[in-house]
Amino acid sequence: MTGSDGRPRCRWCAAAPEFEAYHDAEWGFPVADDVRLFEKLCLEAFQSGLSWRTILAKRAHMRKVFDGFDFHRVARFDEARVAALLQDPGIVRHRGKIEAVINNARRAVALQEEFGSLAAYFWRYEIDPAKAAPPQTASTAEESITLAKDLKRRGWKFVGPTTVYAFMQAMGLVNDHVGECVVAADVRQARAGFRVPVVD
């Protein structure tokens, strides 16, 4: 599709006005920050059965009530905090998903202790560009299936292969921008200069 500046972008940007800025500044750029990685996996879980537009509109408020998705803090949320969140119209009020965020925060703390960082763990599953499906033609990949299985084995919830693949697309573990997209080259350049986190 043609963006607001007349340049070509991935077609999904046309679905909502706010998608273009998210696409241009975030989607597909490699991320090594543990909190951002945890946040995105949580938001993808919240999106299950909903639209990304809904989640994007609620993201700022969700960051506030989930303490910036600092998983060390979220891991300490108790039932009273869950009850308060269920009354908050600014988030997705789904008990299972809220409880999954808290559960996953506790699992994230353990994962960070084991690997040194969440980034070091997740980047082991990066999809080789030479083996990736053509951009935006797949909803899962062998790597997302493997990662989802390992997360579930570790006790994570709401982390199916499709949710995990969407997380990988957004966090740069696969460059799924179409070739004609004006951002595709920027993402490739960002990845070329990106230092892949390693296990401590």
Side-chain angles (χ1 to χ4, degrees):
M1 56 87 66
T2 301
S4 60
D5 57 2
R7 297 187 297 171
R9 286 173 174 78
C10 297
R11 186 173 298 170
W12 61 265
C13 290
E18 57 269 39
F19 282 1
E20 186 174 307
Y22 170 72
H23 166 274
D24 288 4
E26 296 185 54
W27 195 73
F29 287 91
V31 173
D33 180 82
D34 281 4
V35 171
R36 283 192 62 199
L37 290 165
F38 178 72
E39 175 191 272
K40 184 57 178 174
L41 202 49
C42 291
L43 294 178
E44 291 296 346
F46 271 116
Q47 186 191 348
S48 179
L50 302 171
S51 71
W52 177 241
R53 187 179 192 182
T54 297
I55 303 304
L56 198 56
K58 294 177 179 290
R59 181 169 68 167
H61 186 68
M62 292 175 76
R63 283 174 172 165
K64 179 180 177 181
V65 299
F66 282 101
D67 290 356
F69 287 98
D70 179 337
F71 49 92
H72 288 274
R73 298 178 68 176
V74 176
R76 297 192 293 269
F77 282 18
D78 56 16
E79 183 55 39
R81 194 69 177 263
V82 173
L85 289 167
L86 286 168
Q87 299 302 313
D88 191 330
I91 70 167
V92 176
R93 291 181 287 180
H94 183 292
R95 176 179 284 275
K97 293 178 180 180
I98 292 170
E99 291 179 341
V101 169
I102 299 167
N103 169 77
N104 293 350
R106 294 166 183 163
R107 306 287 79 77
V109 170
L111 200 64
Q112 188 182 61
E113 290 174 353
E114 181 180 350
F115 289 90
S117 69
L118 299 189
Y121 169 78
F122 284 122
W123 277 90
R124 299 183 313 149
Y125 295 92
E126 181 181 12
I127 298 174
D128 183 343
K131 298 178 181 178
Q136 298 171 43
T137 62
S139 58
T140 63
E142 180 181 343
E143 292 84 353
S144 75
I145 293 169
T146 303
L147 174 53
K149 286 180 179 178
D150 194 62
L151 288 171
K152 289 179 180 178
R153 181 182 65 81
R154 295 172 180 273
W156 291 62
K157 298 179 179 178
F158 280 92
V159 287
T162 301
T163 294
V164 168
Y165 189 73
F167 160 81
M168 296 173 78
Q169 288 174 301
M171 297 286 97
L173 281 88
V174 58
N175 183 355
D176 226 18
H177 286 274
V178 295
E180 300 81 4
C181 174
V182 67
V183 180
D186 293 338
V187 169
R188 285 195 299 272
Q189 183 176 359
R191 175 60 188 87
F194 179 71
R195 183 176 180 180
V196 175
V198 295
V199 177
D200 288 349

